[in-house]
Amino acid sequence: MGNLAVVGAQWGDEGKGKITDLLARHADVVVRYGGGPNAGHTVMAGDRLLKLHLVPSGILYPTTACLIGGGCVVDPESLLAEIDRLHEQGLTTDHLRISETAHVIMPYHRTLDRAEESARANPIGTTGRGIGPSYGDKVTRQGIRMLELVDPAKLRRRLEEELPRINRLLTRLHDLEPLELAPLLETLSAQGARLKPYVMDTALHLHRAIREGKRVLFEGAQGALLDLEMGTYPFVTSSYPVAGGASVGSGVGPGSIGKVLGIAKAYATRVGGGPFPSELHDEVGQRIRDIGHEYGTTTGRPRRCGWFDAVALRLATRANGLDALAITKLDVLDAFETLEVVVAYRDGERLLDEFPADLEVLERCTPVLENHPGWQTPTGAARTWDELPAAARAYLDRLAELVGVPVELVSVGAEREATLTRPGILDGWV
Ligand code: IMP
């Protein structure tokens, strides 16, 4: 049994938190490889509901090393608040480590995120957490890394270098107040001092763990359709949620990743702007939103809801090299009389069964829908494949057939137990 990457196969919010938490039980190391506090993972542990943003979902298992990889961006204020909340709930974070090369989300990145968003003709609908500006500084080689945050002398030097540029952006481009060095330095140094014990060379740690035969779970955030390279650009996030991002973002070679499990809901959702071909603007969409509690963990925004989109999933399958699919929130569809699945897009006379990169094409496409009878039976108590109603099994089989990847895990509720699996790549993991 090798390592495993768990990735989002839609637009994020697929329920990766629950699945990662479930699988982390059998992992020696869990590494989050991209994104920042834009993510929101909800994990149920007994009667405790944990809302995680950057801390890996393996945190509930004290013997599992939880790494925040170099591909992540760290907001010290929000990470410390997350750590404090875990401590208040009686959980330890002694097994948490943060990559020294992860870039820091500075307070000015959050300000710039909101300012840039409001200046856009077509807003992306970002989470406002400073993700884009922080990755932007990383790419243009102006970012500040965790190893600098935790060293007051280095931090001072870097802020002295960057602040004049940031202040020009704030004042001249966005008509905002400039920042003063001293209070910024004071706040960030205090945060750096608290985070220092967690900061290390996580890539080396991971390399050694893999060499020793330890079992690693690579935890994805967001989803393939939000990937900077493969997603619906520019309505994407600024990181690489696809499985390839796991290699770069955790600092080990792609051969270490092992198998790739894609997570998709039994329907589809999207938060923020951008194309969403299977979106339902009617009461059916609202019904999915209500039953599925489709409101953002990070921002509380209502999620846009639609039918399962096999065309989008085909993109996710090849972009990630998926070996298997996990379908979550099947129970949300329990009461529906009929279900629909997008099997292709129609662009005038043309039928597309692969996702187009040109958003203008995507926007004029209409989805080609396939009807399925609902099962109209509660599935929440099912624990084996055979306990699912025949119509639910037929629905899942059809999704697998349309996407070309077997469904090997189905989630029918928020609790860990509300999960059923079939033999395959998860053997030994569940
Ligand atoms: P950003 O990552 O905050 O820059 O936001 C860019 C886009 O990605 C927006 O449409 C966000 O709603 C979306 N996004 C970012 N993180 C998540 C997530 O964890 N779940 C769902 N959507 C997300």
Side-chain angles (χ1 to χ4, degrees):
M1 191 183 106
N3 299 334
L4 183 70
V6 173
V7 299
Q10 295 166 315
W11 279 273
D13 307 318
E14 299 94 348
K16 293 179 293 295
K18 171 190 156 168
I19 308 299
T20 315
D21 164 65
L22 188 79
L23 303 174
R25 208 172 12 170
H26 299 289
D28 299 305
V29 184
V30 178
V31 54
R32 196 33 222 275
Y33 60 82
N38 47 349
H41 287 177
T42 309
V43 176
M44 279 282 281
D47 53 4
R48 275 187 305 201
L49 185 75
L50 291 178
K51 292 197 172 178
L52 303 173
H53 294 286
L54 187 58
V55 170
S57 300
I59 200 73
L60 297 180
Y61 305 99
T63 56
T64 304
C66 288
L67 310 182
I68 295 174
C72 295
V73 282
V74 179
D75 181 333
E77 186 181 323
S78 107
L79 181 57
L80 282 165
E82 213 171 315
I83 289 172
D84 288 342
R85 268 198 310 277
L86 288 166
H87 292 171
E88 279 159 23
Q89 304 216 24
L91 293 161
T92 175
T93 54
D94 290 351
H95 52 313
L96 175 69
R97 293 292 178 270
I98 308 163
S99 169
E100 59 188 5
T101 63
H103 279 244
V104 180
I105 301 177
M106 291 286 168
Y108 50 77
H109 288 137
R110 291 195 299 257
T111 310
L112 288 170
D113 192 0
R114 288 189 284 266
E116 286 169 7
E117 185 70 358
S118 58
R120 276 189 187 108
N122 291 308
I124 294 169
T126 72
T127 59
R129 298 294 191 269
I131 306 298
S134 176
Y135 278 115
D137 275 358
K138 172 178 178 171
V139 172
T140 52
R141 291 146 298 172
Q142 303 174 108
I144 296 181
R145 298 188 292 173
M146 286 305 292
L147 63 88
E148 290 158 338
L149 179 82
V150 300
D151 180 325
K154 285 196 175 79
L155 180 64
R156 171 182 282 279
R157 196 178 66 240
R158 292 292 295 115
L159 279 174
E160 280 170 353
E161 285 166 357
E162 298 304 329
L163 214 48
R165 171 181 65 90
I166 295 296
N167 279 337
R168 281 198 300 277
L169 276 177
L170 290 174
T171 57
R172 295 192 198 168
L173 198 61
H174 298 295
D175 263 338
L176 294 166
E177 291 298 311
L179 294 171
E180 280 177 42
L181 177 69
L184 193 60
L185 192 57
E186 192 184 327
T187 309
L188 289 167
S189 307
Q191 292 166 344
R194 282 196 62 202
L195 288 174
K196 192 170 179 161
Y198 297 101
V199 176
M200 67 175 305
D201 184 345
T202 54
L204 182 60
H205 182 84
L206 188 61
H207 166 77
R208 288 187 175 143
I210 291 170
R211 214 176 41 190
E212 286 164 20
K214 299 264 172 68
R215 193 181 295 171
V216 183
L217 188 64
F218 295 89
E219 177 179 0
Q222 289 86 39
L225 278 301
L226 288 175
D227 187 271
L228 183 59
E229 180 68 39
M230 300 303 295
T232 53
Y233 190 89
F235 298 95
V236 292
T237 189
S238 298
S239 61
Y240 300 102
V242 296
S247 168
V248 181
S250 62
V252 294
S256 300
I257 293 173
K259 299 290 183 194
V260 185
L261 176 70
I263 317 287
K265 281 195 268 221
Y267 48 94
T269 63
R270 171 164 205 166
V271 206
F276 181 25
S278 74
E279 182 166 13
L280 291 162
H281 297 280
D282 55 7
E283 66 283 1
V284 181
Q286 185 58 42
R287 199 168 160 210
I288 295 177
R289 188 175 303 113
D290 289 342
I291 302 175
H293 308 293
E294 294 297 352
Y295 295 89
T297 316
T298 297
T299 57
R301 291 181 289 179
R303 295 180 183 142
R304 300 156 67 192
C305 296
W307 295 119
F308 186 93
D309 184 341
V311 184
L313 256 289
R314 274 179 214 129
L315 171 66
T317 300
R318 57 190 162 85
N320 285 293
L322 294 187
D323 293 295
L325 270 179
I327 298 292
T328 61
K329 300 187 98 166
L330 184 74
D331 54 305
V332 171
L333 301 181
D334 283 351
F336 286 76
E337 305 75 41
T338 53
L339 308 172
E340 291 182 291
V341 174
V342 177
V343 294
Y345 302 153
R346 182 176 297 286
D347 176 23
E349 295 294 293
R350 276 197 315 158
L351 214 54
L352 308 181
D353 47 24
E354 292 293 345
F355 203 87
D358 184 340
L359 297 198
E360 282 180 22
V361 174
L362 199 52
E363 250 141 37
R364 60 170 193 251
C365 280
T366 49
V368 179
L369 295 162
E370 184 178 89
N371 272 289
H372 289 266
W375 40 94
Q376 296 187 271
T377 315
T379 54
R383 295 294 175 266
T384 64
W385 189 260
D386 295 337
E387 285 168 21
L388 287 175
R393 277 182 277 147
Y395 178 72
L396 293 167
D397 283 341
R398 182 64 180 145
L399 301 189
E401 186 181 32
L402 286 166
V403 175
V405 181
V407 173
E408 295 186 359
L409 185 150
V410 178
S411 170
V412 290
E415 319 78 50
R416 281 181 188 158
E417 310 73 55
T419 311
L420 38 127
T421 54
R422 291 203 286 190
I425 64 162
L426 298 178
D427 291 354
W429 281 100
V430 283

